Amino acid sequence: MPRFRLSEHETLLVVLTLLIKALLLLGGAIAYLWFQRQVGGPLGVWNRWDAPHYLDLAVFGYRATDAGDLFGPNGYRSVYPGDLPLYIVFYPLFPWLITGVNAVLDDPLVSAFVVSGVASLFVAPLMYRLVRQDEEPDVAMRAAWFLLIFPTAYFLHIGYTESLFLALVLGSFLAARTRHWVLAGLLGGLAALTRINGLVLLLALPAEAVTQWYEDPRVERRLRPEWLGIGLVAVGFGGYLLLNQVVYGDPLTFLQVQREHWFKQLAPPWEGIASAAGWLGDEKLENALLYGVTELTAVAIGLAGTVYAAFRFRPSWFAWMAGNWLLFTSTAFLLSVPRYTLTLFPIMVGMALLARDRWVLVALSLLSLAGFVYFAARFALGGWAF
């Protein structure tokens, strides 16, 4: 098993994570006091868009029917009464963990922040440790830094799945890189219970296994039974399909709900990209920038990162980049790609390599921090921010 004792650099990254979290939550408290008194406390400014759906699932569970008359402990009420049958598209590990914490704290919103908060403390140290397998310490530190200040990294600290998912994915990659294959598959399976793109590990982990096979001396090359641990990723996704079957009587219900209510269905990448490009001509500048320019910029960054990964990084990293980029863009309606791009950790490593010069480091950091502050503030004040 890999060691879990933090190095000096990793401890610094935990402190940095806590500092960013504190500043973010302080900013949310200020937004609450000055502008948003109606949202239910300083944490309520972050309980928007997808976040309330996870709370509903944590309190009421997955249901095939919902008459809209459900009340939870302490008078908890759904933000959108009657919509619970639509929430099967949200994968279960995150709300299940909230349920467990809520059994102790009896406050779903605080419980969600505890789950995401604890998970967020693992993200930067795991990033550092993974990158250190192939790069120098300064590169690994810069990569973790860029991950923490990425323009959509505020999602690591609020009631969304990003911190849990990234911690599981980075842990899976690190376990595979250090040849702990059962652990890699277990963490990958949990990732596949958290987000659909956890399934991309079924491409990335075998790619890592093949790479290690080629790296071994010829006399040591052999099929290793521990590689079967990779199959646990599929087991995790199978658990999600089983949930669909148990609640709705059909393991593929989520596809129908995704298509009919959330307007998401598989389509060629150029169709999704064209949908975002269509916003560029919107008469409202805000829409053109958010749904057009920003989405297309994230798509372009992901594509550039994927090409770069093909030549510079391990095949498993390229598989992760390519699989995720195709998954993000292969939809008839492109949305939230800037948030999804946060999980493309090789991009941050590429930025770290680019920022060997101090002035490049400063410029990239200021640009990224400006995006972080703007989008986080927009989210806290009730605007759409992915």
Side-chain angles (χ1 to χ4, degrees):
M1 295 286 289
R3 66 179 181 86
F4 293 100
R5 184 178 179 180
L6 295 178
S7 68
E8 182 179 346
H9 284 128
E10 292 162 355
T11 301
L12 177 60
L13 288 170
V14 171
V15 173
L16 185 59
T17 302
L18 290 171
L19 178 60
I20 292 173
K21 188 185 302 293
L23 291 173
L24 182 75
L25 296 183
L26 176 61
I30 293 172
Y32 165 71
L33 291 172
W34 285 5
F35 305 110
Q36 302 288 326
R37 294 183 180 275
Q38 75 277 14
V39 297
L43 294 183
V45 300
W46 305 108
N47 190 36
R48 306 182 188 279
W49 308 109
D50 289 352
H53 306 332
Y54 289 113
L55 300 190
D56 287 357
L57 290 172
V59 174
F60 301 118
Y62 290 89
R63 295 170 179 257
T65 59
D66 175 10
D69 56 355
L70 296 173
F71 285 88
N74 299 322
Y76 179 88
R77 184 80 188 272
S78 297
V79 174
Y80 305 105
D83 278 2
L84 271 173
L86 304 174
Y87 297 166
I88 189 60
V89 300
F90 298 99
Y91 282 53
L93 184 59
F94 185 58
W96 284 349
L97 291 175
I98 297 173
T99 299
V101 176
N102 190 50
V104 177
L105 300 182
D106 199 26
D107 188 321
L109 181 58
V110 173
S111 299
F113 273 76
V114 169
V115 173
S116 62
V118 170
S120 71
L121 299 180
F122 288 87
V123 171
L126 285 170
M127 179 73 162
Y128 173 84
R129 195 172 295 192
L130 175 61
V131 178
R132 270 297 282 122
Q133 301 298 314
D134 300 291
E135 305 291 345
E136 295 300 316
D138 60 332
V139 175
M141 283 295 288
R142 290 197 300 271
W145 163 248
F146 282 125
L147 177 60
L148 289 175
I149 64 167
F150 195 75
T152 52
Y154 55 94
F155 283 105
L156 295 174
H157 306 287
I158 63 178
Y160 272 68
T161 61
E162 268 63 25
S163 60
L164 176 62
F165 183 72
L166 257 175
L168 291 169
V169 166
L170 291 169
S172 181
F173 269 96
L174 180 61
R177 185 69 176 83
T178 54
R179 304 187 181 222
H180 296 91
W181 289 102
V182 174
L183 179 59
L186 176 61
L187 294 173
L190 293 174
L193 263 179
T194 306
R195 295 261 292 266
I196 179 63
N197 48 325
L199 280 176
V200 180
L201 289 168
L202 288 175
L203 299 175
L205 295 184
E208 180 61 36
V210 172
T211 301
Q212 292 182 15
W213 185 83
Y214 274 105
E215 290 175 343
D216 286 338
R218 282 186 177 273
V219 294
E220 296 182 14
R221 289 179 186 173
R222 58 183 176 83
L223 295 178
R224 300 180 182 275
E226 57 266 32
W227 289 344
L228 293 174
I230 296 172
L232 291 173
V233 177
V235 173
F237 183 68
Y240 174 62
L241 297 181
L242 180 61
L243 173 66
N244 278 256
Q245 175 65 41
V246 170
V247 176
Y248 300 92
D250 182 352
L252 300 179
T253 297
F254 71 99
L255 293 176
Q256 178 182 348
V257 175
Q258 189 87 279
R259 180 179 64 254
E260 294 179 355
H261 180 76
W262 303 96
F263 310 109
K264 285 277 193 176
Q265 59 185 344
L266 286 175
W270 52 85
E271 188 172 325
I273 293 171
S275 74
W279 285 100
L280 296 177
D282 194 275
E283 60 183 19
K284 189 175 181 181
L285 179 61
E286 183 181 48
N287 289 342
L289 292 175
L290 275 177
Y291 302 114
V293 174
T294 310
E295 293 286 341
L296 291 174
T297 299
V299 168
I301 291 173
L303 180 59
T306 300
V307 174
Y308 182 73
F311 296 97
R312 179 58 176 80
F313 299 134
R314 298 178 73 81
S316 57
W317 290 22
F318 168 69
W320 178 252
M321 290 290 296
N324 275 281
W325 188 86
L326 285 172
L327 188 62
F328 299 162
T329 58
S330 296
T331 174
F333 178 44
L334 208 64
L335 192 66
S336 299
V337 177
R339 172 162 62 92
Y340 301 154
T341 302
L342 179 64
T343 66
L344 301 182
F345 66 88
I347 290 176
M348 290 66 173
V349 185
M351 293 171 66
L353 292 168
L354 182 63
R356 293 186 185 275
D357 181 87
R358 181 179 61 180
W359 295 112
V360 176
L361 173 62
V362 171
L364 286 177
S365 295
L366 289 176
L367 183 63
S368 193
L369 281 168
F372 183 107
V373 171
Y374 172 76
F375 291 122
R378 181 180 175 83
F379 190 103
L381 294 175
W384 170 253
F386 321 114

